[in-house]
Amino acid sequence: MSLLVVAAVLVVLMAAWAAFAIAYRAPGPMLARGVMVTLWLAFTLGVLVILLRHDARLALLAFVLAFVLVSLWWRSLEPSNARVWADDVARTLRGQVDGDRIVLDDVRNFDWRTREDYTARWETREYDLRRLASTDILLSTWGRPSIAHMLVSFGFDDGEHLAFSVEIRREKHEEFSEIAGFFKQYELSIIAADERDIVRVRSNVRGEEVTLYRLRLDAQQRRALFLAYVGEANRLAATPRFYDTITTNCTTLVYHLARPIFGHLPLDHRLLRTGYLAEYLERLGGLVPGVALADLRERGRINDRAKAADASPTFSRDIRVGVPGVGDDGARLEPGRRHPP
């Protein structure tokens, strides 16, 4: 392959990236961004014609200079915590730790009736870390079995559960796009929420298929992972970050939080193909032993139980009935201490 062909391929790849970046992040309305993308592609086409037919050095110099300008603009884009956010990600979780006592501000506890009809509630809650009793992972799929959203839920010995979710922090006018997630479209958010909010909205309101697995963690690991979530939430509240579909998503961020706690955790394609994350956890010995994965998956499907429980105060206990590894730790459901915002 000649050097000119290699140069042309590189120009096409770099131009394609820049076109997406302009399309998703350039200022102005959609029509203006469309015009900018069209002009960029026309410029790239001209560069390719000159590169392959006339003066390669002139063409490459012109493209490199233009690409440097696009790159400088791209690097100038900074994440922010000050935008007009969608209601369900409007606030940022913050936590104060005092020994075994932890106070969390802006825990979400929405009452969902439909996707658009809900009562917004943000609460301050207080927990005793000595009472951490269990950790579960919930995988939620919505059409493609290879892609799932992951939540990690911590149970306390009084039956209370608190679920953490790494999510995009989208603005009011935005919808989620996996492609846009590559191009600094969304900030990163960690939500801590009551399961009657964050689990129920997926299983009962959106109609996603939710599967719950009990994780094999000891008391020290549970505590460390809980505090790692809170620590990362505090960092995001102070210094916002962009979400990225591959490098900083609902699974990869938790992977980086977990590595200092659990030691070596191998990289695996299932960290990205999150619908198969349970297979990865089983390989690591992180799920209930002595039960086939197919049985764990079947008995862990909570949708029917969630719909039957709906907004019941025993929702967390009810969705765990029959889940392997779950004992009677949820037999008494007594809401933790909370204070209105």
Side-chain angles (χ1 to χ4, degrees):
M1 185 181 294
S2 71
L3 290 177
L4 281 180
V5 173
V6 172
V9 170
L10 289 175
V11 166
V12 168
L13 293 176
M14 294 165 71
W17 173 87
F20 278 108
I22 293 168
Y24 282 107
R25 293 297 284 133
M30 183 180 298
L31 178 61
R33 285 181 277 128
V35 170
M36 284 186 274
V37 170
T38 300
L39 292 174
W40 172 258
L41 293 177
F43 165 75
T44 302
L45 181 61
V47 166
L48 289 172
V49 170
I50 297 172
L51 174 66
L52 297 176
R53 294 187 179 181
H54 301 288
D55 190 335
R57 289 175 297 179
L58 176 63
L60 288 176
L61 178 61
F63 182 79
V64 167
L65 289 175
F67 189 79
V68 166
L69 291 176
V70 173
S71 299
L72 290 173
W73 159 74
W74 180 255
R75 288 177 62 87
S76 72
L77 299 177
E78 295 289 344
S80 173
N81 278 332
R83 305 190 195 279
V84 182
W85 304 110
D87 291 342
D88 57 333
V89 290
R91 301 195 188 184
T92 56
L93 176 70
R94 297 171 312 284
Q96 301 87 42
V97 181
D98 182 12
D100 294 315
R101 175 179 171 271
I102 184 165
V103 177
L104 298 180
D105 294 319
D106 290 326
V107 174
R108 204 180 78 191
N109 188 20
F110 280 30
D111 180 15
W112 297 90
R113 290 173 288 277
T114 69
R115 290 171 182 259
E116 293 79 27
D117 181 20
Y118 49 82
T119 300
R121 289 194 298 260
W122 298 91
E123 301 172 345
T124 295
R125 295 191 177 188
E126 180 181 330
Y127 296 96
D128 185 342
L129 295 176
R130 294 171 297 183
R131 304 187 71 176
L132 275 171
S134 65
T135 310
D136 299 313
I137 184 170
L138 298 101
L139 300 178
S140 180
T141 59
W142 54 92
R144 285 184 294 172
S146 62
I147 301 298
H149 183 75
M150 182 186 76
L151 301 92
V152 175
S153 184
F154 294 87
F156 294 80
D157 63 9
D158 61 357
E160 183 81 353
H161 286 79
L162 183 72
F164 288 90
S165 177
V166 177
E167 302 192 3
I168 64 167
R169 196 175 191 198
R170 69 194 189 286
E171 297 177 64
K172 274 189 177 292
H173 65 277
E174 291 179 328
E175 296 290 338
F176 176 66
S177 163
E178 292 174 350
I179 296 176
F182 288 103
F183 294 98
K184 296 185 178 180
Q185 182 71 43
Y186 314 109
E187 274 78 7
L188 186 66
S189 175
I190 291 181
I191 298 293
D194 193 294
E195 288 189 336
R196 285 164 291 190
D197 169 346
I198 205 163
V199 176
R200 180 176 165 272
V201 71
R202 293 179 177 277
S203 59
N204 295 21
V205 176
R206 299 180 190 170
E208 300 174 13
E209 183 173 291
V210 183
T211 308
L212 185 148
Y213 302 89
R214 174 57 47 95
L215 293 178
R216 296 180 66 198
L217 304 183
D218 61 32
Q220 183 177 359
Q221 292 168 335
R222 278 194 295 270
R223 180 190 180 103
L225 185 58
F226 189 102
L227 290 174
Y229 267 108
V230 175
E232 184 64 22
N234 285 339
R235 284 188 287 273
L236 288 175
T239 307
R241 294 172 59 187
F242 283 119
Y243 172 93
D244 186 274
T245 300
I246 295 294
T247 62
T248 316
N249 58 39
C250 69
T251 304
T252 55
L253 181 67
V254 179
Y255 170 81
H256 290 295
L257 294 179
R259 284 185 65 186
I261 300 169
F262 302 101
H264 176 67
L265 293 175
L267 290 171
D268 192 282
H269 68 93
R270 287 165 290 200
L271 293 169
L272 299 178
R273 302 177 71 213
T274 46
Y276 308 113
L277 187 62
E279 298 174 2
Y280 174 76
L281 295 171
E282 183 192 41
R283 172 189 167 194
L284 296 178
L287 300 182
V288 174
V291 183
L293 181 58
D295 197 22
L296 290 175
R297 184 179 293 115
E298 180 63 29
R299 294 166 63 185
R301 291 194 176 102
I302 70 166
N303 285 64
D304 289 343
R305 298 190 293 270
K307 290 173 183 175
D310 199 44
S312 166
T314 60
F315 180 86
S316 292
R317 182 190 67 190
D318 295 345
I319 64 174
R320 288 172 170 78
V321 172
V323 175
V326 176
D328 62 354
D329 54 281
R332 293 183 297 109
L333 189 68
E334 302 171 5
R337 289 173 56 189
R338 63 192 68 179
H339 313 277

